[in-house]
Amino acid sequence: MIDKQINSCAQAVKDIKDGDTIMIGGFGEAGSPIELIHALIDHGAKNLTVINNNTGSGRVGLAALIENGQVAKMICSYPRTANSMVFPELYRNGKIELELVPQGTLAERIRAGGAGVPAFYTKTSVGTPLAEGKELRNFDGEDYVMERGLKADFALIKAKQADRYGNLTFNKTARNFAPIMAMAAKNTLVQVNELVDLGAIDPEHVVTPGIFVNSIIEVSKPQQESQLVKDGVVYLPAISQGEK
């Protein structure tokens, strides 16, 4: 029988390699898989391309991954938000690359990647710097920009419930990019608030079927990014803390 449960976040991320492309779920704090991200920091894979809606807050989670020098390129919609303390300075100093993507286009590029659609056309960004170097096509008298689908080696996402087959439900807006990222990645790693018995999730309520999930780790009391930022927490790799 299929059992996708694993014992630790460290085990979940152990196969991520230098140079991999990683999709990380979350809309700001909502749905951000903090524990998986911190395990990736401890793991130490470098030169990563990360796809996320933003670039993290404070000096925890995704921001900590960036600050630790593990991310070579960000593909995102909002590289600077109210609590962006790390990315803006690194970008200004030329230490990290940015591919800026309008939010709706980002969602569709991920969805297209998961659906096997190599590219599509959109009016968004026509006539702006974001369209420079991209193919333009005219349909019915209007210009459209070609955008390529996005795929990843791994997706790190957070869910509300899962069974051991990997069927997932999400907590309201914490769902955001997670379902399409699960489809667009070769390997989907999930931290879940609650593991339930097979059959406990109504099939009509399953958002992401287990076919798109590779590993599940139960984190019943996940850390809250906003509280960590408020408390001024700085996440450092385990090796810097004397191994947890």
Side-chain angles (χ1 to χ4, degrees):
M1 299 293 287
I2 298 173
D3 189 347
K4 298 180 180 179
Q5 301 174 74
I6 55 175
N7 296 322
S8 68
C9 290
Q11 182 183 352
V13 303
K14 67 181 179 62
D15 293 326
I16 296 178
K17 307 182 301 299
D18 291 357
D20 276 349
T21 296
I22 315 294
M23 291 180 174
I24 299 180
F27 190 94
E29 178 179 21
S32 179
I34 293 290
E35 282 72 17
L36 282 175
I37 298 171
H38 287 174
L40 179 56
I41 295 172
D42 295 343
H43 173 55
K46 297 183 181 299
N47 197 33
L48 302 173
T49 295
V50 172
I51 301 167
N52 185 266
N53 184 61
N54 58 294
T55 61
S57 298
R59 299 176 70 187
V60 297
L62 176 55
L65 183 71
I66 294 170
E67 186 172 35
N68 200 44
Q70 294 173 249
V71 181
K73 178 179 180 179
M74 281 298 310
I75 300 175
C76 69
S77 296
Y78 290 92
R80 186 174 65 181
T81 56
N83 291 314
S84 298
M85 300 173 62
V86 174
F87 179 87
E89 182 177 354
L90 291 175
Y91 180 71
R92 283 194 295 268
N93 292 329
K95 294 182 178 180
I96 190 168
E97 185 179 350
L98 170 65
E99 181 177 340
L100 189 63
V101 185
Q103 192 172 75
T105 303
L106 179 65
E108 181 60 12
R109 288 183 67 186
I110 297 169
R111 190 206 67 81
V117 177
F120 60 92
Y121 290 91
T122 175
K123 290 181 67 176
T124 305
S125 82
V126 170
T128 75
L130 297 183
E132 292 176 4
K134 296 179 181 178
E135 179 184 327
L136 285 176
R137 287 280 301 273
N138 189 280
F139 296 94
D140 300 323
E142 296 192 63
D143 288 335
Y144 292 76
V145 177
M146 188 183 82
E147 297 282 356
R148 297 186 64 87
L150 286 170
K151 297 181 181 180
D153 299 294
F154 290 86
L156 311 184
I157 65 174
K158 181 180 180 181
K160 180 180 180 181
Q161 286 187 326
D163 59 32
R164 63 183 174 89
Y165 283 0
N167 297 305
L168 307 179
T169 68
F170 298 89
N171 182 25
K172 304 179 179 68
T173 57
R175 168 177 174 171
N176 50 75
F177 294 91
I180 54 175
M181 286 182 171
M183 295 176 65
K186 295 177 184 176
N187 301 280
T188 297
L189 317 177
V190 184
Q191 70 171 72
V192 62
N193 290 26
E194 182 184 16
L195 273 167
V196 299
D197 293 334
L198 290 175
I201 302 175
D202 185 334
E204 295 295 328
H205 295 166
V206 171
V207 177
T208 296
I211 191 172
F212 297 115
V213 172
N214 298 87
S215 300
I216 307 161
I217 174 69
E218 185 177 36
V219 181
S220 58
K221 295 181 179 180
Q223 298 179 85
Q224 299 302 309
E225 184 177 285
S226 58
Q227 188 62 50
L228 294 175
V229 173
K230 181 179 179 180
D231 293 342
V233 173
V234 177
Y235 188 83
L236 299 173
I239 191 171
S240 299
Q241 303 174 44
E243 289 298 335
K244 298 185 221 177

